[in-house]
């Protein structure tokens, strides 16, 4: 078989070229995933809403196959769940689940602040965390952007410890954290993500006071959980 026949795409001839279409498909999946996350985070897709593939694929202008890949990722994150009939829904967390999620976060982030307080040179970390807090000051930004800024602060606090296992554990629960933000509603979510609630964490790290830092983080998580629980109906 000639090279020209190969270029014509004879199905019996394996072509020694990379699967270039894989890049576009991956990009579409990531774009769909980002848009769905934003829609859930903003409340456009509210907790308990059934996700219908035909409607979503048309709204996103992607194939149902690409949409399913994005939805599978959201199921893994905990933002989307299947009901008893296998239908996909935006996750609506219970009061007990909210408390459990923030209890785990309190444990993980207490470990993070303790490690940062014990670091002999932490000025660079403190500067970076204060910059992250500053991103929460702009209340004119979209809810999705504000959510990302809030999550970025907490994740970066874990990353700065250099503890890979800690970061992986935090990331594992980050999807459920998003679900708690959605469950609380936009007004309460903005209150919970206020920069004034995050600055004391950085202050304690800067002072190198491990006990104070752990106390502030645990109170931050406890108060956030109880605020969300107070507006829920199981």
């Amino acid at each position: 078989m000639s090279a020209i026949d190969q270029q014509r795409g004879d199905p019996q001839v394996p072509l020694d070229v990379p699967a270039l279409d894989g890049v576009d498909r991956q990009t579409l999946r990531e774009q769909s995933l980002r848009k769905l996350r934003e829609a859930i985070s903003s409340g456009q897709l509210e907790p308990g809403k059934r996700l219908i593939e035909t409607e979503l694929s048309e709204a996103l202008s992607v194939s149902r196959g690409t949409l399913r890949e994005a939805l599978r990722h959201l199921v893994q994150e905990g933002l989307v769940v299947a009901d008893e009939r296998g239908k996909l829904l935006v996750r609506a967390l219970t009061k007990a689940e909210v408390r459990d999620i923030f209890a785990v976060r309190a444990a993980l982030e207490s470990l993070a602040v303790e490690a940062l307080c014990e670091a002999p040179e932490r000025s660079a970390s403190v500067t970076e965390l204060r910059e992250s807090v500053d991103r929460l000051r702009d209340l004119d930004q979209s809810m999705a952007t504000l959510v990302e800024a809030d999550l970025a602060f907490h994740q970066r606090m874990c990353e700065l410890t250099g503890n890979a296992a800690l970061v992986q554990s935090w990331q594992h629960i980050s999807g459920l954290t998003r679900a708690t933000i959605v469950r609380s509603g936009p007004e309460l979510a903005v209150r919970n993500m206020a920069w004034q609630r995050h600055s004391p964490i950085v202050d304690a790290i800067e002072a190198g006071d491990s006990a104070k830092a752990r106390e502030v983080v645990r109170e931050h998580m406890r108060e956030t959980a109880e605020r969300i629980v107070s507006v829920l109906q199981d």
Side-chain angles (χ1 to χ4, degrees):
M1 183 70 65
S2 70
I4 293 178
D5 289 330
Q6 286 185 332
Q7 292 174 4
R8 288 173 177 166
D10 188 322
Q12 297 179 349
V13 179
L15 297 180
D16 187 19
V17 295
L20 298 176
D21 59 334
V23 175
D24 291 337
R25 184 175 181 181
Q26 177 76 5
T27 300
L28 285 174
R29 191 203 70 167
E30 292 300 324
Q31 290 176 349
S32 300
L33 180 59
R34 177 177 55 80
K35 288 183 177 295
L36 286 169
R37 272 205 206 102
E38 288 177 354
I40 293 173
S41 298
S42 66
Q44 184 179 353
L45 294 174
E46 67 273 13
K49 182 175 179 60
R50 181 183 167 191
L51 301 176
I52 302 173
E53 286 187 2
T54 51
E55 294 180 357
L56 291 175
S57 61
E58 182 177 345
L60 293 169
S61 300
V62 297
S63 70
R64 291 177 69 176
T66 298
L67 175 66
R68 287 192 191 107
E69 291 179 10
L71 289 173
R72 275 196 294 270
H73 197 99
L74 291 176
V75 170
Q76 293 172 355
E77 290 184 358
L79 275 175
V80 172
V81 293
D83 64 13
E84 63 278 2
R85 294 174 296 175
K87 305 298 183 183
L88 295 180
L89 310 170
V90 176
R91 186 166 187 168
L93 295 166
T94 65
K95 293 180 179 181
E97 287 174 325
V98 170
R99 287 193 174 105
D100 287 346
I101 290 164
F102 280 97
V104 172
R105 284 193 59 194
L108 293 173
E109 297 190 30
S110 291
L111 178 60
V113 295
E114 182 176 9
L116 292 175
C117 285
E118 292 175 354
E121 178 50 60
R122 55 185 175 274
S123 59
S125 295
V126 168
T127 298
E128 189 168 343
L129 289 174
R130 289 206 186 281
E131 290 173 353
S132 291
V133 170
D134 286 342
R135 297 187 187 102
L136 296 169
R137 292 175 181 268
D138 181 9
L139 297 182
D140 291 331
Q141 59 191 323
S142 69
M143 175 60 67
T145 302
L146 189 61
V147 169
E148 293 307 315
D150 177 77
L151 293 175
F153 168 81
H154 292 278
Q155 178 169 330
R156 190 59 185 150
M157 193 165 64
C158 294
E159 290 172 343
L160 287 168
T161 67
N163 186 332
L166 171 60
V167 175
Q168 289 169 1
S169 297
W170 191 94
Q171 290 174 333
H172 182 71
I173 204 171
S174 63
L176 291 175
T177 298
R178 289 176 185 274
T180 67
I181 295 171
V182 174
R183 197 75 168 96
S184 66
E187 183 177 345
L188 181 54
V190 169
R191 286 177 57 204
N192 283 339
M193 293 185 289
W195 68 268
Q196 295 94 330
R197 300 189 67 237
H198 292 75
S199 285
I201 300 175
V202 186
D203 292 341
I205 294 172
E206 185 174 33
D209 189 337
S210 297
K212 179 65 174 179
R214 289 194 301 269
E215 178 188 345
V216 171
V217 164
R218 288 169 183 163
E219 178 59 21
H220 179 99
M221 297 302 169
R222 187 201 65 77
E223 184 179 51
T224 302
E226 291 308 313
R227 283 180 173 182
I228 295 172
V229 163
S230 70
V231 299
L232 297 187
Q233 293 182 350
D234 285 347

